[in-house]
C-alpha cells in the first residue's frame, strides 16, 4: 500500500531523532540547530521519497524587519509547510539605528535566519522542546522551597 504525504510525514515525525548536540557556552545549555535537524532527517526523507526545502525572506511588520523561514515538505504532488519568524534586536548597546539595521542584514541575519529555520523545522517535524533552555530558564528566580513540617 502506497503512503500519502501525511502518512510519510507521520513516519518521519515518529522516527526522527535530532539531538541537542551543540552547546551555548554563554548560556550554558545544549541546543539543536538547523544542521542537526537536517542531518537527522535526510535519511528519512530518502526512505520516504520526500523533498524538504527551507527558505527565508525578510518581512516588514510595522516598523520592524523579521526573517520569515519556511520549511516545506513535498512528495511532488502535494506539500505542507510551516513558518517561523525571528527579528533583529530593537536596541543594541552602543549602536545607533542604522548600525542595528546593518547588523541585522548581514551577520545577524545569518543568526536570525538560523533561529527561524530551526523553529520552522521543529514545527514541521513536531520536534518537542519541552526541555528547551527557554522553557526551563527561571531567569534567576528560583521557586520557593517547600518547608518541612
Amino acid at each position: 500500500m502506497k503512503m500519502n504525504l501525511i502518512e510519510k510525514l507521520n513516519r518521519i515525525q515518529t522516527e526522527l531523532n535530532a539531538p541537542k548536540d551543540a552547546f551555548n557556552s554563554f548560556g550554558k545549555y545544549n541546543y539543536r540547530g538547523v544542521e542537526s535537524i537536517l542531518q537527522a532527517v535526510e535519511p528519512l526523507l530518502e526512505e520516504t521519497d520526500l523533498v524538504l526545502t527551507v527558505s527565508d525572506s525578510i518581512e516588514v511588520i510595522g516598523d520592524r524587519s523579521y526573517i520569515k523561514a519556511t520549511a516545506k515538505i513535498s512528495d511532488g504532488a502535494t506539500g505542507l509547510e510551516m513558518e517561523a519568524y525571528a527579528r533583529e534586536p530593537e536596541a543594541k548597546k552602543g549602536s545607533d539605528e542604522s548600525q542595528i539595521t546593518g547588523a541585522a542584514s548581514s551577520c545577524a541575519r545569518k543568526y536570525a535566519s538560523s533561529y527561524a529555520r530551526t523553529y520552522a523545522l521543529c514545527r514541521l517535524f513536531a520536534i518537542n522542546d519541552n526541555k528547551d533552555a527557554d522553557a526551563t530558564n527561571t531567569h534567576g528566580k528560583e521557586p520557593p522551597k517547600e518547608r518541612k513540617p
Side-chain angles (χ1 to χ4, degrees), residues 35-140:
E35 298 82 10
S36 299
I37 296 170
L38 293 176
Q39 186 176 18
V41 79
E42 283 175 358
L44 297 169
L45 292 169
E46 185 175 351
E47 289 173 17
T48 55
D49 292 321
L50 294 177
V51 175
L52 173 67
T53 57
V54 184
S55 61
D56 56 51
S57 60
I58 298 176
E59 285 196 12
V60 177
I61 302 172
D63 62 347
R64 301 300 307 270
S65 296
Y66 292 81
I67 301 293
K68 178 177 97 172
T70 304
K72 182 176 181 177
I73 197 162
S74 174
D75 61 8
T78 59
L80 178 67
E81 63 184 49
M82 292 291 172
E83 300 169 343
Y85 291 83
R87 66 175 172 83
E88 84 281 0
E90 192 169 323
K92 187 171 182 177
K93 187 175 180 179
S95 298
D96 64 23
E97 288 181 11
S98 64
Q99 291 169 317
I100 293 169
T101 301
S105 64
S106 60
C107 181
R109 181 172 186 253
K110 173 187 172 193
Y111 296 110
S113 173
S114 178
Y115 184 86
R117 285 177 174 219
T118 298
Y119 283 94
L121 288 166
C122 284
R123 291 184 70 202
L124 182 64
F125 295 118
I127 297 172
N128 186 344
D129 270 348
N130 58 3
K131 292 186 180 178
D132 191 312
D134 290 338
T136 59
N137 189 349
T138 62
H139 302 283

Side-chain angles (χ1 to χ4, degrees), residues 9-22:
L9 180 57
N10 179 270
R11 177 175 169 208
I12 290 173
Q13 290 174 338
T14 57
E15 293 182 18
L16 181 63
N17 180 15
K20 293 182 180 185
D21 58 358

